[in-house]
Amino acid sequence: MEHATSELREFISDLVIPHQRCNVNINPDHITMLEGTKIKKQHSRKRRAHKSSTLSRREYAALGLNTLPTKQMKYEEALPLHHLWKGYVREHLQLREGDEVPQVHDGRYDEFSRKLVKLDLHGAKLKVLQSKCSTLESLAGICVMDTKNVLKLLGKDHRVRTIPKSECVFGLKVGNMEFTIFGQHLNIRPAERSVKKIKNFVKPFM
């Protein structure tokens, strides 16, 4: 066995460039290069290839992957999304038939309001109650896109409108409960908002 290993070492060593021959290690199961520069280069190439396969946010936006057509979507096509959202929100808020909004003095109010702000709004029916831009007031529709700074609402006239969050106060209805949500506190991506520690920014609609 030792003789065979010695012959194998000599054979393999002859195949390796001279200054790397001292790094050849003979193993009963396989042969490896302990510090081969070729292996390091292969790993670095794989890392570069993996990075290059991922689009940056700027490239994502340049390709138009975060945009929606303004006049090619039908309101009726978004209704199934809204029905799914209604089931999701009841499960998320742990609501039952006949439940009422916890009042400010109620011990459940803080937890309930945090859950409400963390909601994924895709599919929710929203209405602009107040805005610094008067032309945005009373606009309503189903939310078809929620980004860091804007909401895109699909109205009954089949038009998608871009609503800046920070400029508006939104109305949201869940069953027989209505809420006002200040858009300036929604200025965060939905995925980040769902895990971020958030203060109380919601109040019952009076």
Side-chain angles (χ1 to χ4, degrees):
M1 180 65 180
E2 293 180 358
H3 178 69
T5 302
S6 177
E7 290 183 349
L8 183 59
R9 180 186 295 277
E10 293 177 1
F11 175 76
I12 295 297
S13 297
D14 291 339
L15 300 178
V16 180
I17 54 178
H19 69 275
Q20 290 289 347
R21 290 178 183 175
C22 61
N23 294 326
V24 175
N25 180 37
I26 301 300
N27 188 289
D29 298 321
H30 60 277
I31 301 171
T32 59
M33 294 292 293
L34 296 180
E35 298 178 356
T37 55
K38 183 177 180 181
I39 295 177
K40 293 181 180 179
K41 289 181 180 179
Q42 287 176 345
H43 286 311
S44 63
R45 288 196 204 101
K46 289 181 180 178
R47 285 196 294 268
R48 287 198 298 269
H50 177 70
K51 290 181 180 179
S52 62
S53 63
T54 304
L55 292 175
S56 66
R57 287 177 179 171
R58 183 172 296 179
E59 292 170 336
Y60 193 87
L63 291 172
L65 299 178
N66 58 351
T67 59
L68 292 173
T70 57
K71 295 183 180 180
Q72 297 178 11
M73 299 180 67
K74 301 296 183 182
Y75 182 80
E76 292 75 15
E77 295 174 349
L79 288 176
L81 176 63
H82 174 63
H83 293 318
L84 287 174
W85 182 85
K86 288 195 296 184
Y88 152 76
V89 70
R90 286 194 169 275
E91 181 178 348
H92 180 77
L93 297 178
Q94 299 178 346
L95 295 176
R96 298 178 182 178
E97 291 294 335
D99 282 353
E100 297 182 355
V101 180
Q103 299 301 311
V104 177
H105 59 271
D106 193 326
R108 299 175 299 154
Y109 177 78
D110 288 347
E111 181 181 358
F112 186 86
S113 60
R114 291 191 192 99
K115 286 183 178 180
L116 188 61
V117 174
K118 290 184 177 183
L119 277 177
D120 188 327
L121 297 176
H122 291 94
K125 285 185 178 180
L126 298 170
K127 182 177 181 179
V128 180
L129 302 179
Q130 299 177 18
S131 176
K132 293 181 180 180
C133 179
S134 59
T135 57
L136 296 178
E137 292 184 358
S138 299
L139 291 179
I142 297 175
C143 179
V144 291
M145 181 174 284
D146 180 2
T147 68
K148 180 179 180 180
N149 298 310
V150 301
L151 293 172
K152 295 196 175 186
L153 305 184
L154 176 60
K156 291 184 178 180
D157 58 354
H158 314 302
R159 291 192 61 184
V160 176
R161 294 178 172 86
T162 301
I163 313 295
K165 293 179 179 179
S166 60
E167 305 295 324
C168 302
V169 177
F170 298 93
L172 172 67
K173 186 173 182 179
V174 180
N176 60 346
M177 297 179 290
E178 296 184 5
F179 306 91
T180 56
I181 303 180
F182 295 91
Q184 62 181 342
H185 302 303
L186 297 177
N187 279 355
I188 185 172
R189 295 180 180 85
E192 298 172 0
R193 188 171 68 235
S194 64
V195 296
K196 184 178 177 63
K197 186 175 181 180
I198 299 177
K199 298 179 182 179
N200 301 331
F201 296 133
V202 184
K203 65 178 182 179
F205 182 77
M206 305 302 291

